[in-house]
Amino acid sequence: KQEVTQIPAALSVPEGENLVLNCSFTDSAIYNLQWFRQDPGKGLTSLLLIQSSQREQTSGRLNASLDKSSGRSTLYIAASQPGDSATYLCAVSSTNAGKSTFGDGTTLTVKP
Amino acid sequence: DGGITQSPKYLFRKEGQNVTLSCEQNLNHDAMYWYRQDPGQGLRLIYYSQIVNDFQKGDIAEGYSVSREKKESFPLTVTSAQKNPTAFYLCASRQGNSPLHFGNGTRLTVT
């Protein structure tokens, strides 16, 4: 059974700092990995999707990497802003359009 | 705009009553999913459907039921058999290996 772990559970940084969020998974036979952002009381917003054949994806200040063999993904946020404060979740899918397994998330606070 | 609509946003029920949560999508996605989120935790899969008239149990299906009679609709019924129904319920959809899209959720409180 796939298990997804996100470390740290919470992170607080000053504005402007670059930071890395970690996601690890136990079964490397994945189809894709997706990073999400969740604001309190809201649904999840997709940030980046990395297919199993890809090594990284970039969108603006965000860069996600994937190392299938080691079962790891990182989300790099450059020049953090208070508006980046949210919970970040990663999810792995083991088949095409199949079910996704989620980590418990990392709650990020960016202090002005 | 295309998206997923979950209604209502807040739902209150008495213990012992069944309740149905609505999820509608106009993204023309084949696959739809129901997840449950408890405070401070990630999402756990309840049921999913990869095509109309077919669905599979997720990791925590006990006490829940679903139907998929139309491509755009995937309602979830929380039955009285669900021991801890109070939670935040999220519906999602996707097409093939495209990104998973989520609705804004329904917060169910059972007293």
Side-chain angles (χ1 to χ4, degrees), chain A residues 11 21 30 38 42 48-49 51 55 57-58 74 83 90-91 102:
Chain A
L11 182 63
L21 306 180
I30 67 168
Q38 186 177 31
K42 303 286 189 182
L48 291 164
L49 172 72
Q51 303 296 344
R55 296 282 293 180
Q57 283 285 338
T58 298
T74 61
C90 69
F102 283 78

Side-chain angles (χ1 to χ4, degrees), chain A residues 30-82:
Chain A
I30 67 168
Y31 204 80
N32 58 47
L33 184 146
Q34 194 168 354
W35 281 94
F36 297 88
R37 169 190 174 130
Q38 186 177 31
D39 293 293
K42 303 286 189 182
L44 277 66
T45 300
S46 178
L47 297 174
L48 291 164
L49 172 72
I50 310 177
Q51 303 296 344
S52 62
S53 58
Q54 298 174 320
R55 296 282 293 180
E56 65 177 333
Q57 283 285 338
T58 298
S59 176
R61 294 182 294 108
L62 305 179
N63 177 277
S65 68
L66 174 63
D67 184 342
K68 268 182 42 176
S69 61
S70 67
R72 292 182 182 178
S73 176
T74 61
L75 179 67
Y76 174 83
I77 302 177
S80 58
Q81 304 170 356

Side-chain angles (χ1 to χ4, degrees), chain A residues 40-41, chain B residues 6-13 88 105-109:
Chain B
Q6 290 188 245
S7 60
K9 186 174 181 179
Y10 299 98
L11 192 53
F12 298 88
R13 280 294 182 269
F88 188 45
T106 291
R107 189 166 300 280
L108 172 65
T109 302

Side-chain angles (χ1 to χ4, degrees), chain B residues 63-99:
Chain B
Y64 299 97
S65 66
V66 294
S67 63
R68 186 85 188 279
E69 297 176 2
K70 298 187 296 183
K71 187 175 186 178
E72 60 269 24
S73 179
F74 191 39
L76 173 75
T77 296
V78 185
T79 75
S80 56
Q82 169 48 233
K83 290 182 170 40
N84 296 295
T86 294
F88 188 45
Y89 290 88
L90 288 157
C91 178
S93 71
R94 81 191 315 168
Q95 184 64 33
N97 63 355
S98 70

